[in-house]
Structures are given as structure tokens and as C-alpha cells.
Amino acid sequence: MLSLSHAVAAAPTHSHGSTAGHQHGLAQMDIALEQKQLTVSVQAPLESLLGFEHAPRNDRERQRADALLKRLRQPEGLFVTDAAANCRLTAAEVQSPTLEKKEKGAQAAVDGHADLEARYTFQCERPAQLRQLQVEWFNAFPQLRRVDAQVVGPLGQHKQVLRGLSRAVKLQR
Ligand SMILES: [Zn+2]
């Protein structure tokens, strides 16, 4: 019995807690259009956006981390909506405890991986004119190769994989 419990304890754990679905090069976006409100919730490994996922260790990493947070908090150009829909950004929340070193070690404890979460809210005056949402993240973040989008809106619910030149999320027929 002693050896059995020992074997169990020694077995590698595959529970990754909050990093479930964590895959380098990938980001997940939940996109919802409900009446006039468009929301985009992003979850991405820091590796996908920054190239590393530990708290910054030197000035260069600190600068890159700060630049990333600033870019994501002022997301001009990262999302492009149809002009006729007249959407404006009303909220941008970005959270990355690892980069903001509020919980030093707390998140890094999960086998060295760390995620970034962001949530964007837009208000669209004419949502019926919002045919698609262009996700322009690939040029901004060269490490990002794929976005798995889960979309809820007038078309119902669908999944879309974005990559390279295919980065328009369909919202209307
Ligand atoms: Zn990772």
C-alpha cells in the first residue's frame, strides 16, 4: 500500500487549474452581440502575446510587458467594426496578475504558465449593420497564430477559427 500511494503521488498531474485550454500561439475569444452591445472576452497565454509568461525579470521585459498592457487597454485597430454600425468602445479591462506583479509567485506556481484576460465592450448604434468583426491581432502579436472564437448573436451560436487572412467574425447574414 505504501508503494501504491507513492506511485500516485509521483504521477504527473494533468490538472492545470486556471490554465485549462492553455496553448501557446492560441487565444480564445468569446464574442457576443446582444441588441446594441458587442462584447469580446479574450483569454490568451501570455506566451501568445508577449513571447514569455513570467513576471518581467529585467528592464527590457518590463518595457515589453508595459507596452502590451497599454496596447490592450487602448485597443484602437485591434478590432474593426463596420462603420455603418457606428460602434464605439465603452470599456476595456485587461488583467494579468503575472505582469502586474500583484501576486508574485501566485499564478506562476501553476507549472510556469500564465494567462492574460481581457474584456471589451462596444455600444453599436445600428447593430443590424454590424456584419462582421475584424480581429486584427495577428500583425500586432506575431507569436499569435490562431484565435478560436465562440460567437453568440443574431445568427445563433457558432465557432470560428481565425488565422492569417481569415480574421473576420461573421455576425449577420
Ligand atoms: Zn504557457
Side-chain angles (χ1 to χ4, degrees):
M1 277 308 156
L2 197 81
S3 60
L4 178 64
S5 66
H6 207 83
V8 169
T13 172
H14 288 279
S15 163
H16 292 265
S18 64
T19 59
H22 183 105
Q23 197 179 326
H24 293 178
L26 177 73
Q28 291 170 319
M29 293 191 187
D30 286 312
I31 298 165
L33 177 61
E34 192 179 3
Q35 298 182 2
K36 292 187 169 187
Q37 183 167 288
L38 174 69
T39 54
V40 183
S41 298
V42 183
Q43 184 170 16
L46 276 179
E47 168 72 34
S48 299
L49 304 177
L50 195 57
F52 61 87
E53 40 189 24
H54 50 258
R57 290 172 180 150
N58 52 47
D59 286 349
R60 193 173 149 271
E61 289 186 352
R62 164 57 53 200
Q63 278 173 9
R64 289 182 56 198
D66 288 348
L68 174 70
L69 293 173
K70 192 177 172 195
R71 182 73 188 92
L72 291 175
R73 284 173 177 146
Q74 295 170 1
E76 274 83 38
L78 291 181
F79 297 106
V80 179
T81 52
D82 297 288
N86 203 359
C87 302
R88 63 188 170 86
L89 182 74
T90 55
E93 298 159 50
V94 181
Q95 290 183 324
S96 175
T98 299
L99 297 187
E100 293 163 303
K101 58 181 181 185
K102 285 173 190 158
E103 305 167 29
K104 203 168 185 181
Q107 194 177 351
V110 187
D111 58 29
H113 294 283
D115 285 337
L116 178 144
E117 289 182 21
R119 186 178 166 86
Y120 300 98
T121 309
F122 300 84
Q123 293 293 330
C124 302
E125 271 179 37
R126 288 183 294 278
Q129 303 296 317
L130 186 58
R131 307 226 164 264
Q132 60 181 35
L133 172 70
Q134 293 262 127
V135 176
E136 298 292 350
W137 284 48
F138 297 109
N139 286 341
F141 310 111
Q143 270 99 0
L144 182 65
R145 288 187 297 277
R146 196 179 101 207
V147 172
D148 285 352
Q150 177 81 48
V151 188
V152 180
L155 294 176
Q157 195 167 333
H158 69 280
K159 285 186 180 186
Q160 229 181 297
V161 174
L162 312 177
R163 65 174 100 217
L165 294 173
S166 162
R167 51 189 194 264
V169 174
K170 197 174 177 205
L171 293 167
Q172 313 271 1
R173 268 181 214 295

